[in-house]
Amino acid sequence: MFVGALYGLLGLGLTLSWGILRQINLAYFALTFLAAYLCYQLSTARGIDPLATLLLIAPGFFVIGVALQWVFARFRVSPFNSLLVTFGLTVIVESVIQSIWTADFRRLESAYGVAKFRLGVLYVPAPELITLALSIALSLALYAALRYTDLGKAMRAAAEDGPMASAFGVNRRFIALALSGVCATLSAVAGVCLALSYTLAPAQIYAWIGVVFAAVLLGGIGRPLGPLIAGIVIGVSEALTMALTAPSWAPLVSFSLLILLLLVRPDKA
Amino acid sequence: MLELKTAIVKYGAATALWDISLTIRAGELVCVVGPNGAGKTTLINVIAGLHRIASGGFLLNGDDVSRLPSHRFCGKGIAIVPEGRRLFASMTVRENLVLGSYCADAKRQRRETLERVCAMFPVLVEKLEDPAGALSGGQQQMVAIARALMAQPRLLLLDEPSLGLAPTIVLDMFRIIRDINAEGVAVLLVEQNVAMALDIARRAYVLEEGRIVAEGAPGELTSQPHIRRAYLGM
Ligand SMILES: Nc1ncnc2c1ncn2[C@@H]1O[C@H](COP(=O)(O)OP(=O)(O)OP(=O)(O)O)[C@@H](O)[C@H]1O
Ligand SMILES: [Mg+2]
């Protein structure tokens, strides 16, 4: 359930840029890990509270997201090419991480790591609760923003018929830059959550891609609540599979669910 | 309020419109007729700012707008009812109308305009929360017009608004266009329904193969045998 919240957080930026910007941006995975390492670095070397590092990391990542979109727009990258380009970016960021922090495992030690909250009969580690809370809050906030604000409606309209949205005054360039900035900021949040609960290693970037894609597709592309709900469904099914069979069966769950969905509702992906 | 001077419009290397000179004065109802593929939609899209002219002049209220980005045309008082309606189909009717008043000036009076538009199209009131794509063709066309009116335009562009509608609804459509114009909004109407369009227009242009081949008051045009034969079947 709690790992599902992290799937949801990772999938949120992916689903929004896929649905609205028509980009399949793998670079969010790399950015998430970059943010996780930055969080690790700032709190281990400088003693800054891990959550407070977000205040430093998030604005920087917003700028990265804006810059990324600027380049995409400048070179008119098509949806398929966006997959290739951002895969390349991911590999680059991975090697940058590896050259700075080496391929060794890194673990953030913080007060959050040992704290636990009692939820009824359950003791839940603080990082997992923080992840769940942030994931729910951000998914709901983006859902509301897309549904109820003019800017959000403009984004949905631009995704549906770009030129028509322009004709009614929507500045599509600006909207794309802003949304890309938001998506990159989301990956910064996911990164901090990742650093709080997981041991980091550069090659782990790729371990997340498959299951998060499954969450995005199951949740419906472009739907802000999709990855969270689908992520939790996947997370719970994985946990059940592990409990009932062997841990090695868990990765099969998300893809079985995905294939099942594609068979039953082929129009959804 | 609008002036195109010897404008040339291209799609890549192919020229779609040649030497177009066209004026629309404030409050005027102008109609453009011509056969399929003549370039009528291209002309409307140019005026809406969706496609740029390759050369020539394009003035709105005296300002050169030939290089203006698409999203600034709405603020200049232009709204479009495009060919095939092009509603934001997955969004509700209300959201479509809200989007119509996305421009700063229109946004300020959104509530009042929405009331006016609902009074004009009473059938839409109970459909406000339905997805626009779920409405019938005639209702969708009304939403498309209502969305454009939400922008509080001074020039309304209509690209074949009666296409695919039942004859009685076509009559309604023409009455509505007339009413809108009577409130002082200039209208540029592209129509296949030439007789009805000429009936309500003050001036008309005939477009063939990307060129304007005739212009003038409807009476002058219908007195030319070539035009009567080609467009009115007489
Ligand atoms: N996006 C485009 N790319 C290339 N050529 C185009 C494009 N849109 C239209 N054309 C060409 O430009 C010419 C004018 O097309 P346009 O759609 O403006 O005609 P129209 O008068 O609106 O026709 P209709 O009565 O069928 O709506 C046609 O020859 C068409 O093939
Ligand atoms: Mg046309």
Side-chain angles (χ1 to χ4, degrees):
Chain A
M1 157 129 197
F2 293 98
V3 70
L6 193 53
Y7 296 156
L9 207 45
L10 271 159
L12 190 53
L14 190 66
T15 200
L16 291 180
S17 69
W18 194 340
I20 297 176
L21 299 175
R22 304 269 181 259
Q23 290 164 8
I24 309 174
N25 197 334
L26 290 177
Y28 292 139
F29 293 95
L31 287 177
T32 299
F33 271 75
L34 185 61
Y37 273 98
L38 286 172
C39 170
Y40 164 80
Q41 187 69 27
L42 286 169
S43 65
T44 312
R46 300 282 167 83
I48 305 173
D49 183 284
L51 284 182
T53 63
L54 199 52
L55 296 178
L56 294 172
I57 299 171
F61 272 60
F62 186 85
V63 174
I64 293 177
V66 171
L68 210 56
Q69 175 58 31
W70 188 85
V71 173
F72 271 67
R74 178 77 185 66
F75 295 100
R76 299 169 192 276
V77 180
S78 71
F80 180 68
N81 286 344
S82 74
L83 192 61
L84 298 179
V85 171
T86 57
F87 182 72
L89 276 175
T90 305
V91 174
I92 293 172
V93 172
E94 186 206 352
S95 40
V96 168
I97 291 177
Q98 190 150 337
S99 69
I100 299 178
W101 287 285
T102 76
D104 294 343
F105 287 99
R106 303 276 169 162
R107 171 119 196 127
L108 171 67
E109 303 296 343
S110 77
Y112 295 107
V114 288
K116 284 193 175 16
F117 286 96
R118 224 188 112 171
L119 275 185
V121 292
L122 238 53
Y123 283 95
V124 183
E128 306 207 321
L129 208 61
I130 291 169
T131 304
L132 182 66
L134 279 173
S135 187
I136 291 176
L138 287 171
S139 299
L140 283 175
L142 280 163
Y143 173 82
L146 281 176
R147 179 140 300 254
Y148 300 113
T149 69
D150 272 19
L151 199 61
K153 286 179 191 145
M155 284 179 183
R156 285 157 58 213
E160 210 163 307
D161 188 336
M164 245 336 99
S166 296
F168 286 98
V170 175
N171 183 347
R172 282 192 282 159
R173 256 174 69 96
F174 166 78
I175 277 194
L177 291 173
L179 186 66
S180 180
V182 168
C183 290
T185 310
L186 288 170
S187 63
V189 178
V192 169
C193 291
L194 189 74
L196 282 176
S197 342
Y198 287 83
T199 305
L200 303 173
Q204 299 259 302
I205 295 177
Y206 306 102
W208 292 85
I209 293 181
V211 66
V212 171
F213 259 80
V216 166
L217 290 172
L218 278 171
I221 294 160
R223 292 159 175 263
L225 297 182
L228 175 65
I229 296 169
I232 288 177
V233 169
I234 292 175
V236 170
S237 337
E238 280 178 349
L240 287 176
T241 314
M242 278 194 253
L244 296 175
T245 63
S248 55
W249 287 94
L252 279 179
V253 172
S254 49
F255 295 101
S256 313
L257 279 173
L258 185 59
I259 291 168
L260 207 66
L261 175 90
L262 292 179
L263 288 175
V264 183
R265 297 276 314 272
D267 54 309
K268 277 197 90 177
Chain B
M1 70 176 295
L2 175 140
E3 190 173 6
L4 276 173
K5 285 188 289 197
T6 60
I8 293 180
V9 180
K10 299 183 175 185
Y11 288 106
T15 303
L17 294 176
W18 309 78
D19 290 331
I20 300 293
S21 293
L22 172 145
T23 51
I24 302 171
R25 286 180 274 276
E28 211 176 18
L29 202 165
V30 175
C31 119
V32 172
V33 299
N36 283 7
K40 306 180 297 295
T41 297
T42 305
L43 178 64
I44 286 250
N45 285 348
V46 163
I47 296 175
L50 295 175
H51 197 88
R52 286 201 174 153
I53 58 174
S55 69
F58 182 7
L59 302 177
L60 268 180
N61 300 316
D63 301 333
D64 176 16
V65 293
S66 54
R67 296 268 145 243
L68 199 69
S70 314
H71 68 271
R72 302 272 303 278
F73 277 74
C74 178
K76 294 253 173 201
I78 292 190
I80 182 171
V81 178
E83 187 172 52
R85 309 184 260 276
R86 289 172 72 173
L87 297 179
F88 304 116
S90 71
M91 300 170 70
T92 65
V93 170
R94 185 191 293 279
E95 286 175 327
N96 271 271
L97 299 183
V98 164
L99 243 303
S101 59
Y102 184 80
C103 274
D105 290 336
K107 195 176 290 190
R108 246 170 269 131
Q109 291 164 43
R110 180 176 288 166
R111 188 185 302 238
E112 294 85 339
T113 325
L114 186 61
E115 268 171 30
R116 263 200 14 237
V117 165
C118 284
M120 198 161 184
F121 301 102
V123 280
L124 296 185
V125 174
E126 58 196 69
K127 306 271 181 193
L128 280 175
E129 310 309 328
D130 295 3
L135 270 54
S136 72
Q139 289 168 341
Q140 286 196 17
Q141 192 58 262
M142 288 180 193
V143 177
I145 296 178
R147 175 178 68 176
L149 290 177
M150 289 298 293
Q152 301 198 308
R154 272 162 283 142
L155 170 60
L156 182 66
L157 309 172
L158 295 146
D159 195 348
E160 308 209 14
S162 69
L163 197 68
L165 302 185
T168 55
I169 302 179
V170 171
L171 283 175
D172 281 346
M173 201 59 72
F174 274 91
R175 181 184 49 75
I176 288 163
I177 293 167
R178 233 180 163 139
D179 290 349
I180 293 168
N181 180 244
E183 287 177 24
V185 179
V187 173
L188 178 65
L189 173 66
V190 163
E191 256 302 339
Q192 296 274 344
N193 231 315
V194 177
M196 289 178 84
L198 289 180
D199 198 38
I200 63 170
R202 165 114 125 247
R203 282 188 311 119
Y205 291 85
V206 180
L207 196 61
E208 282 175 11
E209 292 176 11
R211 297 170 199 272
I212 290 176
V213 295
E215 65 170 286
E220 293 169 28
L221 292 177
T222 49
S223 67
Q224 297 179 23
H226 156 70
I227 289 170
R228 289 167 61 120
R229 221 174 306 120
Y231 299 104
L232 298 171
M234 291 186 278

